[in-house]
Amino acid sequence: MKKMLRVVSVLGTPYTIFEGTTIDFPDLSDCDGYCDTTIKKIVVSDMSEAEGRPGAKADLNHYKRKVIRHELIHAILFESGLSNNSWAENEELVDWIAIQFPKLEALFQQAGCNELLKEGA
């Protein structure tokens, strides 16, 4: 069943994130998520079709969050004007950023980068 998860601001541009199945979004038939920059929409599989399938991820919610991050990276690169560069469309690079982002965020928090910026240092 198609479900709107939320609207997010990607560098000032609103994108709507949807969740559903291949019935709701036929383009999910060959992927777990996609970003349509022409209509500012991100779609992620609800993973119901993956449950119980051989090779399916054990923690589908964790995987779904990674897919959403991946598609948001595509949106960020597009909205920043970098999508015209071949490296910005490279799925391996986008996936690397999506996978590593939680670790990068934790590192920046550990280093106090956000607090330093707020203090003007």
Side-chain angles (χ1 to χ4, degrees):
M1 173 174 212
K2 178 165 72 170
K3 176 179 167 185
M4 186 188 84
L5 297 179
R6 63 185 58 190
V7 176
V8 297
S9 176
V10 177
L11 302 181
T13 301
Y15 274 71
T16 305
I17 302 174
F18 291 94
E19 174 184 72
T21 67
T22 55
I23 294 168
D24 307 313
F25 303 102
D27 288 341
L28 286 174
S29 64
D30 62 350
C31 62
D32 292 326
Y34 62 90
C35 176
D36 186 334
T37 57
T38 65
I39 56 173
K40 312 306 181 197
K41 175 172 80 172
I42 291 173
V43 176
V44 63
S45 170
D46 68 5
M47 305 296 166
S48 62
E49 297 168 327
E51 291 181 271
R53 190 172 60 199
K57 305 286 184 198
D59 186 345
L60 291 172
N61 283 325
H62 174 79
Y63 178 66
K64 188 187 317 181
R65 289 190 301 270
K66 191 275 261 180
V67 173
I68 292 171
R69 284 193 306 270
H70 177 101
E71 300 310 329
L72 284 169
I73 299 297
H74 278 299
I76 290 165
L77 292 171
F78 178 82
E79 294 302 329
S80 69
L82 292 173
S83 65
N84 293 331
N85 298 306
S86 62
W87 62 265
E89 293 292 323
N90 181 296
E91 289 296 316
E92 289 175 350
L93 177 64
V94 171
D95 216 30
W96 183 88
I97 295 169
I99 290 167
Q100 300 305 323
F101 184 83
K103 298 172 196 169
L104 294 169
E105 181 181 38
L107 173 63
F108 296 154
Q109 287 175 349
Q110 180 184 359
C113 294
N114 293 337
E115 291 79 17
L116 292 173
L117 291 174
K118 287 178 187 173
E119 295 170 7

